[in-house]
Amino acid sequence: MQIFNIDVMTLFPEIFSLTMQIGIIGRAIKNNIINLKCHQIRDFAKNKHRRVDDYPFGGGEGMIMMAEPIFQTFEHIKIARQKTPYLIMMSPKGKVLNQEIINRIRNFQDIAILCGRYEGIDQRLIDEIVDEEISIGNYVLTGGELPALVFLDTIIRTLPGVLSSENSFKHESYYNNTLEHPQYTRPQIWHNKKVPEVLLSGNHKEIKNWKKQKSKNID
């Protein structure tokens, strides 16, 4: 089984530390299903103070991440991997993440994720090395790290060997453009509310039909 390689370029690799140790992502790393590395962009800044941002040409609020430190970070990744990963930038201007995008990108063996900060990234860098921009929704966040974590979770859970059954994720919400049906567990009666009788019937055909009827189509 081939390892799925992921490189994250960020100013805050600490944000990823705990996630890399626990849950599905931690287990995937431990089981050698994925090789996930975080790269501190400041390490590739050439100036004395490891500065990675500067004022925008033409004026405006905030600071802009400079192209060169990010470019050098990506060059380092390319040399280490001995190939050029598919580079995704987390951006509010990108395509909104959905299951179709996840199913497509999971077919890449090597991906890199760029997490922006401040007011943005020099457009010349984006034009030169970024393959795709992805958003997790129409709202503003402080940086790309939280969207990257969401993106990582959605991708990694679909990889072979991560979940107990390879088909598990295919039955989850959104995979078939539906929201999952209501779920119940013990006890059968809770606060005078009963589990639907059909789920207790043992009739697999009726149960399957009930689940299909209760699943909601995504517009």
Side-chain angles (χ1 to χ4, degrees):
M1 183 174 64
Q2 287 186 308
I3 296 178
F4 191 78
N5 296 312
I6 307 169
D7 290 276
V8 180
M9 296 185 284
T10 173
L11 295 177
F12 296 95
E14 302 86 356
I15 291 176
F16 298 86
S17 298
L18 181 59
T19 304
M20 292 171 66
Q21 299 175 46
I22 62 173
I24 287 176
I25 295 177
R27 191 160 62 245
I29 294 172
K30 183 178 180 181
N31 294 335
N32 293 318
I33 297 171
I34 65 169
N35 184 351
L36 174 58
K37 293 185 177 180
C38 291
H39 304 268
Q40 170 57 265
I41 297 170
R42 290 190 189 279
D43 290 344
F44 298 88
K46 302 296 185 181
N47 57 79
K48 179 180 178 181
H49 300 290
R50 300 171 73 206
R51 185 174 176 179
V52 296
D53 63 318
D54 211 329
Y55 294 102
F57 285 120
E61 298 293 329
M63 305 291 278
I64 305 298
M65 290 184 71
M66 296 184 289
E68 190 62 16
I70 300 172
F71 180 80
Q72 292 301 330
T73 308
F74 193 53
E75 288 296 298
H76 170 78
I77 292 169
K78 287 162 59 177
I79 293 169
R81 296 292 186 198
Q82 297 186 326
K83 60 182 67 176
T84 302
Y86 188 77
L87 179 54
I88 296 158
M89 174 179 159
M90 307 311 298
S91 166
K93 297 185 295 183
K95 306 168 194 171
V96 177
L97 184 64
N98 58 32
Q99 195 65 46
E100 182 180 348
I101 292 174
I102 295 162
N103 295 341
R104 172 171 53 82
I105 292 179
R106 71 187 288 264
N107 292 316
F108 289 96
Q109 200 64 42
D110 297 84
I111 67 170
I113 302 171
L114 172 57
C115 303
R117 280 272 162 171
Y118 311 123
E119 291 300 310
I121 296 173
D122 191 310
Q123 186 64 42
R124 294 169 295 183
L125 180 280
I126 298 171
D127 294 340
E128 184 160 336
I129 69 172
V130 171
D131 294 301
E132 184 170 355
E133 295 182 54
I134 292 179
S135 166
I136 64 165
N138 298 319
Y139 43 84
V140 178
L141 292 170
T142 306
E145 285 77 16
L146 292 180
L149 284 169
V150 170
F151 177 71
L152 284 172
D153 190 272
T154 61
I155 290 288
I156 291 170
R157 69 185 294 104
T158 69
L159 298 176
V162 173
L163 298 181
S164 56
S165 168
E166 190 171 337
N167 291 321
S168 294
F169 71 89
K170 295 183 179 180
H171 298 291
E172 295 179 327
S173 297
Y174 293 104
Y175 189 84
N176 294 309
N177 287 323
T178 59
L179 290 174
E180 202 165 29
H181 54 80
Q183 301 275 18
Y184 302 88
T185 188
R186 291 182 175 82
Q188 291 184 20
I189 300 175
W190 179 81
H191 287 197
N192 294 322
K193 298 178 178 68
K194 296 181 179 180
V195 174
E197 290 295 331
V198 64
L199 299 180
L200 307 174
S201 67
N203 188 320
H204 298 296
K205 184 177 180 180
E206 287 187 6
I207 291 172
K208 185 177 180 180
N209 288 335
W210 180 89
K211 289 181 177 180
K212 185 176 180 180
Q213 290 171 4
K214 294 295 183 180
S215 297
K216 295 180 181 180
N217 289 326
I218 302 169
D219 295 329

